[in-house]
Amino acid sequence: QVQVVESGGGWVQPGGSLRLSCAASGNILSLYAMGWYRQVPGKQRELVALMIDGSIPIYADSVKGRFTISGGKAKNTVNLQMNSLEFEDTAVYYCKAHIAESGVGENEYWGPGTQVTVSS
């Protein structure tokens, strides 16, 4: 069994900053990738930022230059520093861990999500 837990969401004014954190724990042999997705009502969940193999960051075009993903593969954690937040960044943010799970093999787990609201 693997657990993915997010923290750090909340409310912020436009131009402000928030930091999201995510930790995966359990029967994890190796972490292939870990990152953040977001979803607003009526739309599909979309990639925000992904850290591959603990060292290769990937960003959605809409957040490049504003968001920074960091993470330690050894600790199975990932953080998302979000600066210059815009109204359009309002969403539920989900963390996903792509792992090698003991006794199972390759698998993916999602966290329950954390709300980010950008509003004046």
Side-chain angles (χ1 to χ4, degrees), residues 59-78:
Y59 297 96
D61 287 342
S62 60
V63 306
K64 283 180 180 177
R66 300 188 298 121
F67 291 10
T68 302
I69 190 170
S70 61
K73 185 176 180 179
K75 295 184 178 181
N76 297 333
T77 62
V78 68

Side-chain angles (χ1 to χ4, degrees), residues 46-65:
E46 63 176 10
L47 172 70
V48 177
L50 187 67
M51 182 68 83
I52 297 175
D53 201 31
S55 62
I56 304 171
I58 295 176
Y59 297 96
D61 287 342
S62 60
V63 306
K64 283 180 180 177

